[in-house]
Amino acid sequence: MDKRRLLRLFVDNRAITPVLSNLLLMVVAVAAMSIAAATTYVITTNLRETMGERLIIEDVWFNNATAAGTRQISIYLRNVGKVPIRISTVYINHTRYPSPTIELGLGDHGWLNITYSWASNGLYHLDVVTMRGTHAGGYYKAP
């Protein structure tokens, strides 16, 4: 090989463009996959927590008179899921009623008291909703 060809091989700049374009394409692909992996992690973590949330109503009491002279519905709740829960809303006959915020850790249980003027022998649909959107409820008849 003569010196001219060897010198031309080292001086030729045409090979830089494909190398840079391949490198840029690789950087874009890695960035896109990193964003996709992070998004998938966030979505699956939220779904795992939502699917692990289990709440049951163990008992319902219709109290005639409290200290303030009002009627009250007391709901005994138990967290039987794999994540802590926080009660956000209570619906009575599909109408939202204010309720105190109650948090239940793993395996915890507790009473949720709602001031409500219930009638004897009335049938009531109670629906307890958590912050993640899990529902627990059913129909209960007042004494």
mmCIF file of all heavy atoms in Angstrom, residues 42-75:
data_model
loop_
_atom_site.group_PDB
_atom_site.id
_atom_site.type_symbol
_atom_site.label_atom_id
_atom_site.label_comp_id
_atom_site.label_asym_id
_atom_site.label_seq_id
_atom_site.Cartn_x
_atom_site.Cartn_y
_atom_site.Cartn_z
ATOM 1 N N VAL A 42 -43.918 2.970 38.563
ATOM 2 C CA VAL A 42 -44.880 3.793 39.295
ATOM 3 C C VAL A 42 -46.285 3.215 39.155
ATOM 4 O O VAL A 42 -47.022 3.098 40.137
ATOM 5 C CB VAL A 42 -44.836 5.254 38.797
ATOM 6 C CG1 VAL A 42 -46.007 6.051 39.330
ATOM 7 C CG2 VAL A 42 -43.522 5.903 39.193
ATOM 8 N N ILE A 43 -46.666 2.823 37.955
ATOM 9 C CA ILE A 43 -48.008 2.283 37.721
ATOM 10 C C ILE A 43 -48.201 0.964 38.454
ATOM 11 O O ILE A 43 -49.228 0.743 39.107
ATOM 12 C CB ILE A 43 -48.264 2.136 36.211
ATOM 13 C CG1 ILE A 43 -48.389 3.522 35.571
ATOM 14 C CG2 ILE A 43 -49.511 1.312 35.943
ATOM 15 C CD1 ILE A 43 -48.431 3.497 34.059
ATOM 16 N N THR A 44 -47.245 0.069 38.366
ATOM 17 C CA THR A 44 -47.408 -1.232 39.015
ATOM 18 C C THR A 44 -47.377 -1.119 40.536
ATOM 19 O O THR A 44 -48.069 -1.881 41.215
ATOM 20 C CB THR A 44 -46.331 -2.234 38.545
ATOM 21 O OG1 THR A 44 -45.038 -1.692 38.783
ATOM 22 C CG2 THR A 44 -46.496 -2.576 37.090
ATOM 23 N N THR A 45 -46.614 -0.185 41.078
ATOM 24 C CA THR A 45 -46.615 0.006 42.529
ATOM 25 C C THR A 45 -47.985 0.464 42.995
ATOM 26 O O THR A 45 -48.517 -0.048 43.988
ATOM 27 C CB THR A 45 -45.541 1.033 42.932
ATOM 28 O OG1 THR A 45 -44.269 0.545 42.517
ATOM 29 C CG2 THR A 45 -45.536 1.267 44.433
ATOM 30 N N ASN A 46 -48.581 1.410 42.292
ATOM 31 C CA ASN A 46 -49.911 1.895 42.648
ATOM 32 C C ASN A 46 -50.943 0.774 42.520
ATOM 33 O O ASN A 46 -51.806 0.614 43.380
ATOM 34 C CB ASN A 46 -50.290 3.087 41.774
ATOM 35 C CG ASN A 46 -51.569 3.738 42.250
ATOM 36 O OD1 ASN A 46 -51.916 3.661 43.421
ATOM 37 N ND2 ASN A 46 -52.283 4.374 41.343
ATOM 38 N N LEU A 47 -50.877 -0.008 41.457
ATOM 39 C CA LEU A 47 -51.818 -1.113 41.278
ATOM 40 C C LEU A 47 -51.639 -2.171 42.362
ATOM 41 O O LEU A 47 -52.611 -2.734 42.860
ATOM 42 C CB LEU A 47 -51.640 -1.751 39.899
ATOM 43 C CG LEU A 47 -52.178 -0.947 38.723
ATOM 44 C CD1 LEU A 47 -51.812 -1.620 37.410
ATOM 45 C CD2 LEU A 47 -53.684 -0.794 38.827
ATOM 46 N N ARG A 48 -50.400 -2.460 42.727
ATOM 47 C CA ARG A 48 -50.137 -3.456 43.762
ATOM 48 C C ARG A 48 -50.736 -3.004 45.091
ATOM 49 O O ARG A 48 -51.331 -3.799 45.819
ATOM 50 C CB ARG A 48 -48.636 -3.690 43.899
ATOM 51 C CG ARG A 48 -48.284 -4.844 44.795
ATOM 52 C CD ARG A 48 -46.787 -5.090 44.911
ATOM 53 N NE ARG A 48 -46.034 -4.941 43.691
ATOM 54 C CZ ARG A 48 -45.125 -3.989 43.466
ATOM 55 N NH1 ARG A 48 -44.849 -3.111 44.402
ATOM 56 N NH2 ARG A 48 -44.476 -3.924 42.338
ATOM 57 N N GLU A 49 -50.597 -1.724 45.417
ATOM 58 C CA GLU A 49 -51.172 -1.220 46.656
ATOM 59 C C GLU A 49 -52.694 -1.252 46.619
ATOM 60 O O GLU A 49 -53.337 -1.626 47.594
ATOM 61 C CB GLU A 49 -50.687 0.202 46.927
ATOM 62 C CG GLU A 49 -49.250 0.279 47.366
ATOM 63 C CD GLU A 49 -48.774 1.699 47.579
ATOM 64 O OE1 GLU A 49 -49.566 2.643 47.325
ATOM 65 O OE2 GLU A 49 -47.624 1.867 48.004
ATOM 66 N N THR A 50 -53.268 -0.874 45.486
ATOM 67 C CA THR A 50 -54.718 -0.884 45.360
ATOM 68 C C THR A 50 -55.264 -2.307 45.430
ATOM 69 O O THR A 50 -56.280 -2.558 46.074
ATOM 70 C CB THR A 50 -55.143 -0.213 44.036
ATOM 71 O OG1 THR A 50 -54.650 1.127 44.033
ATOM 72 C CG2 THR A 50 -56.649 -0.190 43.897
ATOM 73 N N MET A 51 -54.588 -3.240 44.792
ATOM 74 C CA MET A 51 -55.054 -4.618 44.811
ATOM 75 C C MET A 51 -54.835 -5.270 46.171
ATOM 76 O O MET A 51 -55.546 -6.206 46.533
ATOM 77 C CB MET A 51 -54.346 -5.420 43.717
ATOM 78 C CG MET A 51 -54.779 -5.005 42.327
ATOM 79 S SD MET A 51 -53.847 -5.828 41.037
ATOM 80 C CE MET A 51 -54.405 -7.492 41.225
ATOM 81 N N GLY A 52 -53.869 -4.787 46.942
ATOM 82 C CA GLY A 52 -53.601 -5.346 48.261
ATOM 83 C C GLY A 52 -54.471 -4.751 49.349
ATOM 84 O O GLY A 52 -54.379 -5.135 50.508
ATOM 85 N N GLU A 53 -55.330 -3.812 49.001
ATOM 86 C CA GLU A 53 -56.173 -3.139 49.981
ATOM 87 C C GLU A 53 -57.483 -3.913 50.140
ATOM 88 O O GLU A 53 -58.224 -4.104 49.181
ATOM 89 C CB GLU A 53 -56.452 -1.709 49.501
ATOM 90 C CG GLU A 53 -57.157 -0.858 50.507
ATOM 91 C CD GLU A 53 -57.257 0.574 50.047
ATOM 92 O OE1 GLU A 53 -58.019 0.844 49.118
ATOM 93 O OE2 GLU A 53 -56.545 1.405 50.607
ATOM 94 N N ARG A 54 -57.736 -4.382 51.345
ATOM 95 C CA ARG A 54 -58.957 -5.128 51.645
ATOM 96 C C ARG A 54 -59.556 -4.593 52.941
ATOM 97 O O ARG A 54 -58.881 -4.516 53.961
ATOM 98 C CB ARG A 54 -58.672 -6.621 51.802
ATOM 99 C CG ARG A 54 -58.131 -7.275 50.570
ATOM 100 C CD ARG A 54 -59.236 -7.493 49.540
ATOM 101 N NE ARG A 54 -58.700 -8.114 48.355
ATOM 102 C CZ ARG A 54 -58.348 -7.472 47.255
ATOM 103 N NH1 ARG A 54 -58.481 -6.176 47.197
ATOM 104 N NH2 ARG A 54 -57.896 -8.106 46.208
ATOM 105 N N LEU A 55 -60.820 -4.268 52.878
ATOM 106 C CA LEU A 55 -61.545 -3.713 54.011
ATOM 107 C C LEU A 55 -62.859 -4.453 54.135
ATOM 108 O O LEU A 55 -63.541 -4.684 53.127
ATOM 109 C CB LEU A 55 -61.794 -2.216 53.767
ATOM 110 C CG LEU A 55 -62.691 -1.489 54.748
ATOM 111 C CD1 LEU A 55 -61.972 -1.324 56.082
ATOM 112 C CD2 LEU A 55 -63.070 -0.126 54.197
ATOM 113 N N ILE A 56 -63.213 -4.860 55.357
ATOM 114 C CA ILE A 56 -64.504 -5.505 55.555
ATOM 115 C C ILE A 56 -65.267 -4.794 56.665
ATOM 116 O O ILE A 56 -64.676 -4.219 57.582
ATOM 117 C CB ILE A 56 -64.370 -7.013 55.887
ATOM 118 C CG1 ILE A 56 -63.526 -7.234 57.142
ATOM 119 C CG2 ILE A 56 -63.807 -7.773 54.722
ATOM 120 C CD1 ILE A 56 -63.526 -8.667 57.624
ATOM 121 N N ILE A 57 -66.578 -4.835 56.543
ATOM 122 C CA ILE A 57 -67.465 -4.331 57.594
ATOM 123 C C ILE A 57 -67.869 -5.538 58.421
ATOM 124 O O ILE A 57 -68.529 -6.449 57.921
ATOM 125 C CB ILE A 57 -68.688 -3.623 56.998
ATOM 126 C CG1 ILE A 57 -68.251 -2.391 56.213
ATOM 127 C CG2 ILE A 57 -69.670 -3.252 58.099
ATOM 128 C CD1 ILE A 57 -69.386 -1.678 55.501
ATOM 129 N N GLU A 58 -67.458 -5.552 59.676
ATOM 130 C CA GLU A 58 -67.764 -6.698 60.536
ATOM 131 C C GLU A 58 -69.081 -6.541 61.272
ATOM 132 O O GLU A 58 -69.747 -7.531 61.550
ATOM 133 C CB GLU A 58 -66.635 -6.928 61.540
ATOM 134 C CG GLU A 58 -65.398 -7.489 60.900
ATOM 135 C CD GLU A 58 -64.421 -8.042 61.928
ATOM 136 O OE1 GLU A 58 -64.585 -7.777 63.133
ATOM 137 O OE2 GLU A 58 -63.499 -8.747 61.500
ATOM 138 N N ASP A 59 -69.447 -5.316 61.595
ATOM 139 C CA ASP A 59 -70.669 -5.118 62.371
ATOM 140 C C ASP A 59 -71.188 -3.706 62.144
ATOM 141 O O ASP A 59 -70.414 -2.790 61.872
ATOM 142 C CB ASP A 59 -70.385 -5.327 63.860
ATOM 143 C CG ASP A 59 -71.619 -5.698 64.652
ATOM 144 O OD1 ASP A 59 -72.709 -5.802 64.053
ATOM 145 O OD2 ASP A 59 -71.501 -5.894 65.877
ATOM 146 N N VAL A 60 -72.506 -3.546 62.259
ATOM 147 C CA VAL A 60 -73.146 -2.232 62.149
ATOM 148 C C VAL A 60 -74.129 -2.103 63.299
ATOM 149 O O VAL A 60 -74.954 -2.997 63.519
ATOM 150 C CB VAL A 60 -73.876 -2.065 60.794
ATOM 151 C CG1 VAL A 60 -74.618 -0.736 60.753
ATOM 152 C CG2 VAL A 60 -72.897 -2.150 59.640
ATOM 153 N N TRP A 61 -74.022 -1.001 64.015
ATOM 154 C CA TRP A 61 -74.925 -0.725 65.125
ATOM 155 C C TRP A 61 -75.676 0.564 64.835
ATOM 156 O O TRP A 61 -75.099 1.555 64.420
ATOM 157 C CB TRP A 61 -74.136 -0.558 66.424
ATOM 158 C CG TRP A 61 -73.638 -1.851 66.983
ATOM 159 C CD1 TRP A 61 -72.670 -2.636 66.458
ATOM 160 C CD2 TRP A 61 -74.084 -2.487 68.164
ATOM 161 N NE1 TRP A 61 -72.474 -3.730 67.242
ATOM 162 C CE2 TRP A 61 -73.338 -3.664 68.305
ATOM 163 C CE3 TRP A 61 -75.041 -2.191 69.128
ATOM 164 C CZ2 TRP A 61 -73.522 -4.540 69.367
ATOM 165 C CZ3 TRP A 61 -75.219 -3.060 70.190
ATOM 166 C CH2 TRP A 61 -74.466 -4.227 70.300
ATOM 167 N N PHE A 62 -76.982 0.521 65.078
ATOM 168 C CA PHE A 62 -77.824 1.702 64.970
ATOM 169 C C PHE A 62 -78.102 2.173 66.388
ATOM 170 O O PHE A 62 -78.888 1.571 67.118
ATOM 171 C CB PHE A 62 -79.124 1.378 64.229
ATOM 172 C CG PHE A 62 -78.921 1.042 62.781
ATOM 173 C CD1 PHE A 62 -78.641 -0.269 62.383
ATOM 174 C CD2 PHE A 62 -78.993 2.028 61.815
ATOM 175 C CE1 PHE A 62 -78.446 -0.567 61.053
ATOM 176 C CE2 PHE A 62 -78.795 1.730 60.482
ATOM 177 C CZ PHE A 62 -78.514 0.434 60.093
ATOM 178 N N ASN A 63 -77.434 3.243 66.807
ATOM 179 C CA ASN A 63 -77.533 3.746 68.179
ATOM 180 C C ASN A 63 -78.668 4.750 68.288
ATOM 181 O O ASN A 63 -78.754 5.702 67.509
ATOM 182 C CB ASN A 63 -76.213 4.400 68.604
ATOM 183 C CG ASN A 63 -75.060 3.421 68.541
ATOM 184 O OD1 ASN A 63 -75.212 2.265 68.915
ATOM 185 N ND2 ASN A 63 -73.919 3.879 68.061
ATOM 186 N N ASN A 64 -79.539 4.536 69.296
ATOM 187 C CA ASN A 64 -80.702 5.393 69.480
ATOM 188 C C ASN A 64 -80.341 6.782 69.954
ATOM 189 O O ASN A 64 -80.775 7.767 69.388
ATOM 190 C CB ASN A 64 -81.669 4.773 70.482
ATOM 191 C CG ASN A 64 -82.790 4.050 69.782
ATOM 192 O OD1 ASN A 64 -83.096 4.345 68.650
ATOM 193 N ND2 ASN A 64 -83.382 3.090 70.466
ATOM 194 N N ALA A 65 -79.594 6.876 71.011
ATOM 195 C CA ALA A 65 -79.293 8.193 71.565
ATOM 196 C C ALA A 65 -77.830 8.250 71.978
ATOM 197 O O ALA A 65 -77.324 7.339 72.617
ATOM 198 C CB ALA A 65 -80.191 8.483 72.758
ATOM 199 N N THR A 66 -77.200 9.318 71.598
ATOM 200 C CA THR A 66 -75.821 9.548 72.019
ATOM 201 C C THR A 66 -75.833 10.629 73.087
ATOM 202 O O THR A 66 -76.895 11.097 73.505
ATOM 203 C CB THR A 66 -74.955 9.979 70.824
ATOM 204 O OG1 THR A 66 -75.464 11.206 70.306
ATOM 205 C CG2 THR A 66 -74.952 8.917 69.734
ATOM 206 N N ALA A 67 -74.674 11.061 73.511
ATOM 207 C CA ALA A 67 -74.570 12.107 74.538
ATOM 208 C C ALA A 67 -75.221 13.409 74.066
ATOM 209 O O ALA A 67 -75.764 14.155 74.859
ATOM 210 C CB ALA A 67 -73.110 12.343 74.887
ATOM 211 N N ALA A 68 -75.196 13.665 72.759
ATOM 212 C CA ALA A 68 -75.772 14.905 72.240
ATOM 213 C C ALA A 68 -77.259 14.748 71.929
ATOM 214 O O ALA A 68 -77.906 15.689 71.494
ATOM 215 C CB ALA A 68 -75.031 15.329 70.977
ATOM 216 N N GLY A 69 -77.811 13.548 72.129
ATOM 217 C CA GLY A 69 -79.231 13.328 71.889
ATOM 218 C C GLY A 69 -79.554 13.056 70.424
ATOM 219 O O GLY A 69 -80.705 13.169 70.021
ATOM 220 N N THR A 70 -78.579 12.694 69.627
ATOM 221 C CA THR A 70 -78.819 12.403 68.214
ATOM 222 C C THR A 70 -78.653 10.908 67.953
ATOM 223 O O THR A 70 -78.039 10.187 68.731
ATOM 224 C CB THR A 70 -77.823 13.168 67.326
ATOM 225 O OG1 THR A 70 -76.499 12.789 67.681
ATOM 226 C CG2 THR A 70 -77.984 14.660 67.487
ATOM 227 N N ARG A 71 -79.191 10.468 66.833
ATOM 228 C CA ARG A 71 -79.021 9.071 66.425
ATOM 229 C C ARG A 71 -77.720 8.928 65.657
ATOM 230 O O ARG A 71 -77.238 9.865 65.038
ATOM 231 C CB ARG A 71 -80.195 8.621 65.574
ATOM 232 C CG ARG A 71 -81.452 8.484 66.387
ATOM 233 C CD ARG A 71 -82.560 7.909 65.580
ATOM 234 N NE ARG A 71 -83.618 7.480 66.472
ATOM 235 C CZ ARG A 71 -84.586 6.684 66.127
ATOM 236 N NH1 ARG A 71 -84.637 6.217 64.897
ATOM 237 N NH2 ARG A 71 -85.503 6.340 66.983
ATOM 238 N N GLN A 72 -77.196 7.706 65.693
ATOM 239 C CA GLN A 72 -75.888 7.481 65.109
ATOM 240 C C GLN A 72 -75.818 6.067 64.529
ATOM 241 O O GLN A 72 -76.447 5.152 65.031
ATOM 242 C CB GLN A 72 -74.838 7.643 66.212
ATOM 243 C CG GLN A 72 -73.448 7.826 65.760
ATOM 244 C CD GLN A 72 -72.542 8.103 66.952
ATOM 245 O OE1 GLN A 72 -72.519 7.339 67.903
ATOM 246 N NE2 GLN A 72 -71.820 9.201 66.892
ATOM 247 N N ILE A 73 -75.044 5.924 63.455
ATOM 248 C CA ILE A 73 -74.738 4.616 62.889
ATOM 249 C C ILE A 73 -73.261 4.354 63.151
ATOM 250 O O ILE A 73 -72.412 5.170 62.787
ATOM 251 C CB ILE A 73 -75.044 4.549 61.387
ATOM 252 C CG1 ILE A 73 -76.519 4.794 61.121
ATOM 253 C CG2 ILE A 73 -74.608 3.207 60.810
ATOM 254 C CD1 ILE A 73 -76.880 4.850 59.647
ATOM 255 N N SER A 74 -72.971 3.244 63.815
ATOM 256 C CA SER A 74 -71.595 2.864 64.118
ATOM 257 C C SER A 74 -71.216 1.666 63.268
ATOM 258 O O SER A 74 -71.908 0.645 63.280
ATOM 259 C CB SER A 74 -71.440 2.519 65.601
ATOM 260 O OG SER A 74 -71.730 3.646 66.394
ATOM 261 N N ILE A 75 -70.114 1.793 62.527
ATOM 262 C CA ILE A 75 -69.653 0.736 61.620
ATOM 263 C C ILE A 75 -68.319 0.229 62.134
ATOM 264 O O ILE A 75 -67.380 1.014 62.328
ATOM 265 C CB ILE A 75 -69.505 1.274 60.184
ATOM 266 C CG1 ILE A 75 -70.804 1.914 59.709
ATOM 267 C CG2 ILE A 75 -69.064 0.169 59.236
ATOM 268 C CD1 ILE A 75 -70.663 2.696 58.413
#
